[in-house]
Amino acid sequence: MDHRQLLKTLSETFGLSGFEDQVREIIRDMVSPLADDIRTDALGNLIVTLNPGRDFVLMLDAHMDEIGFMVSHIDQEGFLRFTPIGSWDDRLLGALRVTVRNREGRTIPGTVGSTPPHIQDPDEKKAPLKTEDLFIDVGAATAEQIEQMGIRKGDPIVPWGDFLALEGNCLMGKAFDDRAGCAVLIRVLEAFAETPPDFTLAACFSVCEEVGLRGAKTAAFQIQPTVALAVEGTVAADTPGTPDRKIPSRMGKGPAITLADRSILVHPKLARFIEQTAIDAGIPHQIKTPLYGATDAGAIHLAGAGALTGVISIPCRYIHSPNIIMSVEDFDNTIRLVLEVSRRSQRILDRA
Ligand code: CO
């Protein structure tokens, strides 16, 4: 499967935090032929191990979940009220198309309803959107029709977001945060299946990152890595109106290396090692501006007695929107950098 097909499949799959089952099944099918051991833990993390049982354990992490909503109430008139899962900018919600998944696993399309400008008074036009006033319309006229569709309170919702290949060698999709990271891990596992590592490699496809780094916490406790890398989609804000000092990363400038974010201060030994590896291998890269964002690395580095943990990210414009844009070159270079750092990872311990 080529990059585009892989990213399309992963991004379009339904996988709200806590409801990652479909994403996990797809990834399991892809990677199980490559694995020496593969298992799903109690929370739903998929842990794929190559060459188990060695002293040196490298953990690679990418989260499967995406942000979305949950049905919180069903109006008599057949409208769904909802509550956000993960961090949303309310201003994006006005005309958002969504997919609701019922308990039988059937997906039902709909849209967040809005008031047409024709009947808004001037104050209304200027007022910010409030999630509590919003509703989803799936085409039902009554609560009974909603029941017939099999939709119930607590059902998960994600934004609608067809994958699109844009001109300029860019891709657009709803869930590159962090399915692009999942795709990187799949490519890295493929490479290591051809040239097996002489250490233990544990790739973890984690659940519930978007609601507080939850899956990675218990996964790292089980894996007890020596060294770990979280592979993420991060904020590219190289767009009009953002001052230089507030741009965490730029699209097209290569994978972003984290020194510090809100969840971790990367050990300088590891941060320098990642940067030096990129330089030695001739891989374009950039340093992510501190201290924006938080990643699974924040949970992983605190597991057990602690693990040297870093973050390598693919710059994503419009992250936490249904229209995330990333560059194919950045994606490729992230695979290269994660692979190079992984191959050399045992040398990190040699450094002072
Ligand atoms: Co993410």
Side-chain angles (χ1 to χ4, degrees), residues 63 177-178 209-210 232-233:
H63 68 89
D177 175 15
D178 184 26
E209 189 271 351
E210 297 290 359
E232 258 288 10

Side-chain angles (χ1 to χ4, degrees), residues 28-288:
R28 176 186 271 276
D29 285 350
M30 288 176 183
V31 301
S32 57
L34 314 171
D36 294 318
D37 183 66
I38 185 163
R39 66 200 162 85
T40 301
D41 74 2
L43 298 194
N45 299 303
L46 179 69
I47 301 173
V48 183
T49 310
L50 269 58
N51 197 17
R54 298 303 177 102
D55 286 342
F56 184 94
V57 180
L58 173 69
M59 174 179 178
L60 300 178
D61 169 276
H63 68 89
M64 295 186 287
D65 61 312
E66 67 186 297
I67 59 168
F69 316 92
M70 187 177 269
V71 177
S72 59
H73 182 261
I74 295 159
D75 286 0
Q76 276 314 309
E77 298 78 17
F79 298 108
L80 307 177
R81 302 300 177 131
F82 60 92
T83 188
I85 303 287
S87 90
W88 275 100
D89 176 350
D90 290 349
R91 293 171 302 171
L92 298 182
L93 303 184
L96 192 72
R97 291 186 188 183
V98 296
T99 304
V100 186
R101 193 178 80 178
N102 71 14
R103 291 192 202 177
E104 284 68 53
R106 196 166 72 82
T107 52
I108 295 121
T111 182
V112 176
S114 53
T115 313
H118 316 63
I119 56 168
Q120 285 177 4
D121 49 42
D123 286 349
E124 235 179 311
K125 276 186 185 163
K126 282 187 223 147
L129 289 175
K130 277 194 285 176
T131 328
E132 64 205 50
D133 298 334
L134 298 175
F135 54 86
I136 288 169
D137 192 334
V138 291
T142 62
E144 287 71 45
Q145 278 187 24
I146 291 290
E147 206 182 323
Q148 283 158 14
M149 292 177 188
I151 298 174
R152 291 192 279 182
K153 215 184 260 191
D155 284 350
I157 305 164
V158 296
W160 183 285
D162 285 344
F163 172 92
L164 290 171
L166 304 184
E167 293 183 34
N169 209 18
C170 288
L171 305 172
M172 187 160 85
K174 74 172 169 53
F176 292 157
D177 175 15
D178 184 26
R179 310 280 165 73
C182 294
V184 170
L185 260 57
I186 291 167
R187 291 298 189 236
V188 170
L189 283 169
E190 288 168 351
F192 273 113
E194 289 202 359
T195 320
D198 59 357
F199 51 87
T200 295
L201 173 66
C204 180
F205 299 89
S206 305
V207 297
C208 293
E209 189 271 351
E210 297 290 359
V211 288
L213 325 180
R214 295 175 189 171
K217 184 174 179 178
T218 60
F221 180 82
Q222 300 163 66
I223 295 167
Q224 287 296 318
T226 323
V227 172
L229 286 178
V231 183
E232 258 288 10
T234 196
V235 180
D238 53 327
T239 49
T242 310
D244 266 7
R245 68 179 191 283
K246 289 189 73 178
I247 297 178
S249 74
R250 294 166 189 275
M251 193 172 80
K253 299 292 181 192
I257 300 168
T258 296
L259 305 180
D261 63 23
R262 285 186 294 102
S263 64
I264 189 170
L265 300 167
V266 177
H267 196 297
K269 183 162 73 170
L270 177 56
R272 285 191 209 118
F273 184 86
I274 296 170
E275 196 182 359
Q276 194 58 49
T277 301
I279 293 165
D280 293 347
I283 301 167
H285 60 282
Q286 55 189 317
I287 299 297
K288 188 181 162 190

